[in-house]
Amino acid sequence: MASGTETSGSGDIARTLELLWDTGRRPSRGPKPGLTLERIVEAAVEVADREGLGAVSMRRIATELGTGTMSLYRYVPGKGELLDLMLDRVQRPSENPADLGDGGWRPALHALGHATLALYCRHTWLLEVNQSRPVLGPSALEGMERVLSRIKPMGLTDPELLSVIIMVDGYVVGAARTQVYAQEAERSSGLTDAQFWEAQEPMLVKAMTSGRYPVLAGMSEDTFGPGFDHFEFGLQRILDGLEDFVAARNAARAPGPPAGSAPPEQPA
């Protein structure tokens, strides 16, 4: 994964929207049989998946497709617009984290968290994109529609429902970044995770027996092992907090006894 950061919405927004929503004028005849906007976007995603977003350029995609660079400009103005098409492409229903199955709002958000983590791990270049101002295409809106339809029964206000989605996505992005960075460190260093920590073990043993870190020294042997699912633990605690919040909101809305009514009789 490259260290640079791209920004969604950096191209011609009006032209990007035309391409996303298929409202623009199509090339009357492509210079190469089979060359389509769909194929161009798919090729760009494939390159980004293999080599990172920094490898994506109009020239490189043209080479992948066996055509001239100028041929691509008949379909998409430049990399800025292409990036927004790539972002919407990976959110299609087949890969959409909003494919949530059946159940209430909690199972839906749980599925959303895991599916979004898988999406970021499958397309690690997504972590290189500043998506603070996304250009919304049909796939993105379909995903949002699916999630909102499932969590609407929470009974929260509309801004709160949006905040729930932002909360889960923010948590997942942090976890995905940790996982992807760990994989990248292993590839670049040539050391496995176990080898990395084994190299530090002699010094850590001395530190733990020095008496300077009594809390750390007293922790169980499995504390830092791979057996604990930190992602699932954190996600469940977020859902627990939301469940408590929804219950409190519903309790506050519940009608109280009518004014002047007598309390129910207590059993002898």
mmCIF file of all heavy atoms in Angstrom, residues 212-248:
data_model
loop_
_atom_site.group_PDB
_atom_site.id
_atom_site.type_symbol
_atom_site.label_atom_id
_atom_site.label_comp_id
_atom_site.label_asym_id
_atom_site.label_seq_id
_atom_site.Cartn_x
_atom_site.Cartn_y
_atom_site.Cartn_z
ATOM 1 N N ARG A 212 9.813 -2.403 37.287
ATOM 2 C CA ARG A 212 9.357 -1.069 36.874
ATOM 3 C C ARG A 212 7.954 -1.104 36.273
ATOM 4 O O ARG A 212 7.295 -0.082 36.192
ATOM 5 C CB ARG A 212 10.342 -0.484 35.852
ATOM 6 C CG ARG A 212 11.738 -0.220 36.395
ATOM 7 C CD ARG A 212 12.668 0.256 35.302
ATOM 8 N NE ARG A 212 12.215 1.506 34.689
ATOM 9 C CZ ARG A 212 12.805 2.072 33.637
ATOM 10 N NH1 ARG A 212 13.859 1.490 33.076
ATOM 11 N NH2 ARG A 212 12.344 3.205 33.159
ATOM 12 N N TYR A 213 7.521 -2.286 35.838
ATOM 13 C CA TYR A 213 6.236 -2.389 35.146
ATOM 14 C C TYR A 213 5.393 -3.499 35.789
ATOM 15 O O TYR A 213 5.123 -4.530 35.158
ATOM 16 C CB TYR A 213 6.447 -2.676 33.657
ATOM 17 C CG TYR A 213 7.479 -1.779 33.020
ATOM 18 C CD1 TYR A 213 8.788 -2.231 32.791
ATOM 19 C CD2 TYR A 213 7.169 -0.471 32.669
ATOM 20 C CE1 TYR A 213 9.735 -1.403 32.216
ATOM 21 C CE2 TYR A 213 8.123 0.367 32.091
ATOM 22 C CZ TYR A 213 9.397 -0.106 31.874
ATOM 23 O OH TYR A 213 10.348 0.721 31.303
ATOM 24 N N PRO A 214 4.972 -3.314 37.034
ATOM 25 C CA PRO A 214 4.294 -4.404 37.752
ATOM 26 C C PRO A 214 2.971 -4.825 37.125
ATOM 27 O O PRO A 214 2.624 -6.011 37.162
ATOM 28 C CB PRO A 214 4.095 -3.831 39.162
ATOM 29 C CG PRO A 214 4.145 -2.340 38.976
ATOM 30 C CD PRO A 214 5.116 -2.105 37.864
ATOM 31 N N VAL A 215 2.219 -3.882 36.578
ATOM 32 C CA VAL A 215 0.929 -4.252 35.978
ATOM 33 C C VAL A 215 1.149 -5.094 34.729
ATOM 34 O O VAL A 215 0.529 -6.147 34.544
ATOM 35 C CB VAL A 215 0.098 -2.991 35.655
ATOM 36 C CG1 VAL A 215 -1.190 -3.378 34.941
ATOM 37 C CG2 VAL A 215 -0.220 -2.215 36.926
ATOM 38 N N LEU A 216 2.042 -4.648 33.868
ATOM 39 C CA LEU A 216 2.346 -5.407 32.658
ATOM 40 C C LEU A 216 2.915 -6.782 33.001
ATOM 41 O O LEU A 216 2.540 -7.797 32.405
ATOM 42 C CB LEU A 216 3.340 -4.644 31.784
ATOM 43 C CG LEU A 216 2.779 -3.498 30.940
ATOM 44 C CD1 LEU A 216 3.909 -2.664 30.345
ATOM 45 C CD2 LEU A 216 1.886 -4.045 29.832
ATOM 46 N N ALA A 217 3.820 -6.821 33.971
ATOM 47 C CA ALA A 217 4.453 -8.089 34.341
ATOM 48 C C ALA A 217 3.447 -9.071 34.916
ATOM 49 O O ALA A 217 3.640 -10.290 34.815
ATOM 50 C CB ALA A 217 5.576 -7.832 35.341
ATOM 51 N N GLY A 218 2.380 -8.569 35.522
ATOM 52 C CA GLY A 218 1.394 -9.444 36.135
ATOM 53 C C GLY A 218 0.293 -9.905 35.208
ATOM 54 O O GLY A 218 -0.586 -10.663 35.634
ATOM 55 N N MET A 219 0.314 -9.491 33.966
ATOM 56 C CA MET A 219 -0.754 -9.884 33.038
ATOM 57 C C MET A 219 -0.573 -11.321 32.584
ATOM 58 O O MET A 219 0.545 -11.856 32.568
ATOM 59 C CB MET A 219 -0.780 -8.936 31.829
ATOM 60 C CG MET A 219 -1.067 -7.491 32.216
ATOM 61 S SD MET A 219 -1.211 -6.351 30.819
ATOM 62 C CE MET A 219 -2.914 -6.630 30.360
ATOM 63 N N SER A 220 -1.671 -11.963 32.219
ATOM 64 C CA SER A 220 -1.646 -13.373 31.835
ATOM 65 C C SER A 220 -0.838 -13.569 30.555
ATOM 66 O O SER A 220 -0.653 -12.645 29.762
ATOM 67 C CB SER A 220 -3.072 -13.897 31.644
ATOM 68 O OG SER A 220 -3.717 -13.206 30.587
ATOM 69 N N GLU A 221 -0.387 -14.804 30.354
ATOM 70 C CA GLU A 221 0.478 -15.091 29.213
ATOM 71 C C GLU A 221 -0.228 -14.924 27.874
ATOM 72 O O GLU A 221 0.415 -14.686 26.852
ATOM 73 C CB GLU A 221 1.029 -16.518 29.335
ATOM 74 C CG GLU A 221 1.988 -16.727 30.512
ATOM 75 C CD GLU A 221 2.575 -18.118 30.535
ATOM 76 O OE1 GLU A 221 2.221 -18.918 29.639
ATOM 77 O OE2 GLU A 221 3.368 -18.409 31.456
ATOM 78 N N ASP A 222 -1.539 -15.066 27.876
ATOM 79 C CA ASP A 222 -2.269 -14.966 26.613
ATOM 80 C C ASP A 222 -2.708 -13.537 26.285
ATOM 81 O O ASP A 222 -3.407 -13.314 25.296
ATOM 82 C CB ASP A 222 -3.491 -15.881 26.630
ATOM 83 C CG ASP A 222 -4.503 -15.476 27.707
ATOM 84 O OD1 ASP A 222 -4.136 -14.682 28.601
ATOM 85 O OD2 ASP A 222 -5.642 -15.957 27.660
ATOM 86 N N THR A 223 -2.291 -12.564 27.096
ATOM 87 C CA THR A 223 -2.746 -11.184 26.905
ATOM 88 C C THR A 223 -2.427 -10.669 25.512
ATOM 89 O O THR A 223 -3.261 -10.047 24.842
ATOM 90 C CB THR A 223 -2.114 -10.256 27.957
ATOM 91 O OG1 THR A 223 -2.502 -10.696 29.251
ATOM 92 C CG2 THR A 223 -2.558 -8.814 27.746
ATOM 93 N N PHE A 224 -1.214 -10.897 25.068
ATOM 94 C CA PHE A 224 -0.780 -10.358 23.788
ATOM 95 C C PHE A 224 -0.758 -11.417 22.680
ATOM 96 O O PHE A 224 -0.169 -11.201 21.626
ATOM 97 C CB PHE A 224 0.618 -9.737 23.933
ATOM 98 C CG PHE A 224 0.664 -8.625 24.944
ATOM 99 C CD1 PHE A 224 1.144 -8.857 26.222
ATOM 100 C CD2 PHE A 224 0.206 -7.363 24.622
ATOM 101 C CE1 PHE A 224 1.176 -7.838 27.172
ATOM 102 C CE2 PHE A 224 0.229 -6.342 25.565
ATOM 103 C CZ PHE A 224 0.718 -6.581 26.839
ATOM 104 N N GLY A 225 -1.402 -12.541 22.935
ATOM 105 C CA GLY A 225 -1.436 -13.604 21.937
ATOM 106 C C GLY A 225 -2.451 -13.334 20.848
ATOM 107 O O GLY A 225 -3.283 -12.423 20.948
ATOM 108 N N PRO A 226 -2.404 -14.149 19.786
ATOM 109 C CA PRO A 226 -3.309 -13.935 18.651
ATOM 110 C C PRO A 226 -4.700 -14.501 18.836
ATOM 111 O O PRO A 226 -5.558 -14.363 17.964
ATOM 112 C CB PRO A 226 -2.582 -14.673 17.518
ATOM 113 C CG PRO A 226 -1.849 -15.787 18.220
ATOM 114 C CD PRO A 226 -1.448 -15.241 19.559
ATOM 115 N N GLY A 227 -4.951 -15.151 19.988
ATOM 116 C CA GLY A 227 -6.222 -15.843 20.152
ATOM 117 C C GLY A 227 -7.407 -14.957 20.457
ATOM 118 O O GLY A 227 -8.552 -15.381 20.294
ATOM 119 N N PHE A 228 -7.173 -13.729 20.876
ATOM 120 C CA PHE A 228 -8.280 -12.849 21.248
ATOM 121 C C PHE A 228 -8.691 -12.014 20.044
ATOM 122 O O PHE A 228 -7.850 -11.395 19.383
ATOM 123 C CB PHE A 228 -7.856 -11.933 22.402
ATOM 124 C CG PHE A 228 -8.992 -11.153 23.006
ATOM 125 C CD1 PHE A 228 -9.804 -11.718 23.972
ATOM 126 C CD2 PHE A 228 -9.267 -9.850 22.595
ATOM 127 C CE1 PHE A 228 -10.859 -11.009 24.537
ATOM 128 C CE2 PHE A 228 -10.313 -9.137 23.145
ATOM 129 C CZ PHE A 228 -11.111 -9.718 24.122
ATOM 130 N N ASP A 229 -9.997 -11.978 19.767
ATOM 131 C CA ASP A 229 -10.515 -11.232 18.616
ATOM 132 C C ASP A 229 -10.815 -9.794 19.051
ATOM 133 O O ASP A 229 -11.909 -9.482 19.509
ATOM 134 C CB ASP A 229 -11.779 -11.910 18.080
ATOM 135 C CG ASP A 229 -12.220 -11.346 16.729
ATOM 136 O OD1 ASP A 229 -11.809 -10.226 16.384
ATOM 137 O OD2 ASP A 229 -12.979 -12.048 16.027
ATOM 138 N N HIS A 230 -9.842 -8.929 18.901
ATOM 139 C CA HIS A 230 -9.999 -7.546 19.340
ATOM 140 C C HIS A 230 -11.057 -6.810 18.516
ATOM 141 O O HIS A 230 -11.784 -5.965 19.051
ATOM 142 C CB HIS A 230 -8.659 -6.806 19.244
ATOM 143 C CG HIS A 230 -7.617 -7.327 20.186
ATOM 144 N ND1 HIS A 230 -7.600 -7.013 21.521
ATOM 145 C CD2 HIS A 230 -6.568 -8.165 19.977
ATOM 146 C CE1 HIS A 230 -6.573 -7.616 22.105
ATOM 147 N NE2 HIS A 230 -5.937 -8.330 21.196
ATOM 148 N N PHE A 231 -11.128 -7.131 17.220
ATOM 149 C CA PHE A 231 -12.119 -6.456 16.371
ATOM 150 C C PHE A 231 -13.527 -6.784 16.833
ATOM 151 O O PHE A 231 -14.360 -5.894 17.004
ATOM 152 C CB PHE A 231 -11.933 -6.855 14.911
ATOM 153 C CG PHE A 231 -12.975 -6.280 14.003
ATOM 154 C CD1 PHE A 231 -12.899 -4.954 13.591
ATOM 155 C CD2 PHE A 231 -14.047 -7.042 13.568
ATOM 156 C CE1 PHE A 231 -13.882 -4.405 12.768
ATOM 157 C CE2 PHE A 231 -15.029 -6.506 12.743
ATOM 158 C CZ PHE A 231 -14.939 -5.183 12.343
ATOM 159 N N GLU A 232 -13.794 -8.061 17.052
ATOM 160 C CA GLU A 232 -15.138 -8.472 17.468
ATOM 161 C C GLU A 232 -15.479 -7.909 18.838
ATOM 162 O O GLU A 232 -16.609 -7.459 19.069
ATOM 163 C CB GLU A 232 -15.235 -10.005 17.484
ATOM 164 C CG GLU A 232 -16.577 -10.552 17.937
ATOM 165 C CD GLU A 232 -17.710 -10.243 16.971
ATOM 166 O OE1 GLU A 232 -17.437 -9.835 15.815
ATOM 167 O OE2 GLU A 232 -18.877 -10.393 17.375
ATOM 168 N N PHE A 233 -14.513 -7.899 19.755
ATOM 169 C CA PHE A 233 -14.754 -7.366 21.084
ATOM 170 C C PHE A 233 -15.156 -5.888 21.008
ATOM 171 O O PHE A 233 -16.130 -5.460 21.624
ATOM 172 C CB PHE A 233 -13.493 -7.511 21.953
ATOM 173 C CG PHE A 233 -13.645 -6.964 23.345
ATOM 174 C CD1 PHE A 233 -14.249 -7.717 24.333
ATOM 175 C CD2 PHE A 233 -13.181 -5.694 23.666
ATOM 176 C CE1 PHE A 233 -14.389 -7.223 25.629
ATOM 177 C CE2 PHE A 233 -13.323 -5.187 24.944
ATOM 178 C CZ PHE A 233 -13.927 -5.954 25.934
ATOM 179 N N GLY A 234 -14.405 -5.100 20.247
ATOM 180 C CA GLY A 234 -14.714 -3.677 20.132
ATOM 181 C C GLY A 234 -16.045 -3.432 19.453
ATOM 182 O O GLY A 234 -16.823 -2.555 19.863
ATOM 183 N N LEU A 235 -16.337 -4.210 18.395
ATOM 184 C CA LEU A 235 -17.596 -4.031 17.682
ATOM 185 C C LEU A 235 -18.785 -4.344 18.583
ATOM 186 O O LEU A 235 -19.791 -3.612 18.581
ATOM 187 C CB LEU A 235 -17.617 -4.928 16.439
ATOM 188 C CG LEU A 235 -18.857 -4.844 15.550
ATOM 189 C CD1 LEU A 235 -19.068 -3.426 15.029
ATOM 190 C CD2 LEU A 235 -18.744 -5.833 14.377
ATOM 191 N N GLN A 236 -18.676 -5.407 19.364
ATOM 192 C CA GLN A 236 -19.772 -5.765 20.269
ATOM 193 C C GLN A 236 -19.996 -4.696 21.332
ATOM 194 O O GLN A 236 -21.127 -4.421 21.729
ATOM 195 C CB GLN A 236 -19.488 -7.113 20.938
ATOM 196 C CG GLN A 236 -19.583 -8.304 19.998
ATOM 197 C CD GLN A 236 -20.995 -8.578 19.506
ATOM 198 O OE1 GLN A 236 -21.968 -8.001 19.994
ATOM 199 N NE2 GLN A 236 -21.119 -9.439 18.511
ATOM 200 N N ARG A 237 -18.916 -4.058 21.786
ATOM 201 C CA ARG A 237 -19.085 -3.017 22.805
ATOM 202 C C ARG A 237 -19.758 -1.781 22.192
ATOM 203 O O ARG A 237 -20.552 -1.103 22.872
ATOM 204 C CB ARG A 237 -17.737 -2.645 23.412
ATOM 205 C CG ARG A 237 -16.966 -3.783 24.080
ATOM 206 C CD ARG A 237 -17.674 -4.398 25.267
ATOM 207 N NE ARG A 237 -18.825 -5.243 24.949
ATOM 208 C CZ ARG A 237 -18.731 -6.500 24.470
ATOM 209 N NH1 ARG A 237 -17.548 -7.041 24.231
ATOM 210 N NH2 ARG A 237 -19.826 -7.193 24.243
ATOM 211 N N ILE A 238 -19.466 -1.481 20.955
ATOM 212 C CA ILE A 238 -20.167 -0.387 20.281
ATOM 213 C C ILE A 238 -21.657 -0.705 20.187
ATOM 214 O O ILE A 238 -22.517 0.142 20.476
ATOM 215 C CB ILE A 238 -19.578 -0.148 18.877
ATOM 216 C CG1 ILE A 238 -18.181 0.454 18.978
ATOM 217 C CG2 ILE A 238 -20.482 0.767 18.049
ATOM 218 C CD1 ILE A 238 -17.476 0.587 17.649
ATOM 219 N N LEU A 239 -21.981 -1.933 19.810
ATOM 220 C CA LEU A 239 -23.387 -2.337 19.692
ATOM 221 C C LEU A 239 -24.068 -2.356 21.052
ATOM 222 O O LEU A 239 -25.252 -2.001 21.162
ATOM 223 C CB LEU A 239 -23.480 -3.708 19.018
ATOM 224 C CG LEU A 239 -22.914 -3.781 17.589
ATOM 225 C CD1 LEU A 239 -23.031 -5.190 17.034
ATOM 226 C CD2 LEU A 239 -23.602 -2.775 16.671
ATOM 227 N N ASP A 240 -23.343 -2.764 22.101
ATOM 228 C CA ASP A 240 -23.907 -2.719 23.455
ATOM 229 C C ASP A 240 -24.285 -1.287 23.833
ATOM 230 O O ASP A 240 -25.363 -1.031 24.381
ATOM 231 C CB ASP A 240 -22.892 -3.249 24.477
ATOM 232 C CG ASP A 240 -22.727 -4.759 24.410
ATOM 233 O OD1 ASP A 240 -23.576 -5.431 23.794
ATOM 234 O OD2 ASP A 240 -21.730 -5.258 24.977
ATOM 235 N N GLY A 241 -23.372 -0.351 23.543
ATOM 236 C CA GLY A 241 -23.653 1.048 23.859
ATOM 237 C C GLY A 241 -24.850 1.571 23.102
ATOM 238 O O GLY A 241 -25.695 2.289 23.666
ATOM 239 N N LEU A 242 -24.965 1.210 21.831
ATOM 240 C CA LEU A 242 -26.121 1.641 21.044
ATOM 241 C C LEU A 242 -27.403 1.021 21.577
ATOM 242 O O LEU A 242 -28.455 1.676 21.611
ATOM 243 C CB LEU A 242 -25.909 1.256 19.574
ATOM 244 C CG LEU A 242 -24.895 2.102 18.804
ATOM 245 C CD1 LEU A 242 -24.619 1.489 17.430
ATOM 246 C CD2 LEU A 242 -25.386 3.538 18.643
ATOM 247 N N GLU A 243 -27.324 -0.245 21.988
ATOM 248 C CA GLU A 243 -28.522 -0.902 22.514
ATOM 249 C C GLU A 243 -29.001 -0.208 23.789
ATOM 250 O O GLU A 243 -30.211 0.000 23.982
ATOM 251 C CB GLU A 243 -28.227 -2.380 22.777
ATOM 252 C CG GLU A 243 -29.461 -3.225 22.977
ATOM 253 C CD GLU A 243 -29.211 -4.685 22.667
ATOM 254 O OE1 GLU A 243 -28.084 -5.159 22.949
ATOM 255 O OE2 GLU A 243 -30.119 -5.358 22.164
ATOM 256 N N ASP A 244 -28.074 0.146 24.666
ATOM 257 C CA ASP A 244 -28.446 0.873 25.883
ATOM 258 C C ASP A 244 -29.053 2.231 25.534
ATOM 259 O O ASP A 244 -30.029 2.667 26.155
ATOM 260 C CB ASP A 244 -27.218 1.062 26.776
ATOM 261 C CG ASP A 244 -26.775 -0.229 27.431
ATOM 262 O OD1 ASP A 244 -27.562 -1.200 27.444
ATOM 263 O OD2 ASP A 244 -25.627 -0.285 27.915
ATOM 264 N N PHE A 245 -28.473 2.896 24.551
ATOM 265 C CA PHE A 245 -28.972 4.208 24.159
ATOM 266 C C PHE A 245 -30.383 4.114 23.592
ATOM 267 O O PHE A 245 -31.261 4.929 23.914
ATOM 268 C CB PHE A 245 -28.025 4.836 23.137
ATOM 269 C CG PHE A 245 -28.441 6.204 22.669
ATOM 270 C CD1 PHE A 245 -28.325 7.305 23.505
ATOM 271 C CD2 PHE A 245 -28.951 6.396 21.399
ATOM 272 C CE1 PHE A 245 -28.709 8.569 23.081
ATOM 273 C CE2 PHE A 245 -29.334 7.655 20.958
ATOM 274 C CZ PHE A 245 -29.216 8.743 21.810
ATOM 275 N N VAL A 246 -30.612 3.122 22.727
ATOM 276 C CA VAL A 246 -31.943 2.931 22.140
ATOM 277 C C VAL A 246 -32.960 2.597 23.228
ATOM 278 O O VAL A 246 -34.088 3.115 23.215
ATOM 279 C CB VAL A 246 -31.902 1.819 21.072
ATOM 280 C CG1 VAL A 246 -33.313 1.425 20.639
ATOM 281 C CG2 VAL A 246 -31.096 2.277 19.857
ATOM 282 N N ALA A 247 -32.572 1.746 24.181
ATOM 283 C CA ALA A 247 -33.488 1.391 25.270
ATOM 284 C C ALA A 247 -33.839 2.615 26.107
ATOM 285 O O ALA A 247 -34.998 2.816 26.486
ATOM 286 C CB ALA A 247 -32.860 0.306 26.148
ATOM 287 N N ALA A 248 -32.841 3.453 26.404
ATOM 288 C CA ALA A 248 -33.108 4.662 27.178
ATOM 289 C C ALA A 248 -34.002 5.624 26.409
ATOM 290 O O ALA A 248 -34.897 6.256 26.991
ATOM 291 C CB ALA A 248 -31.785 5.340 27.549
#
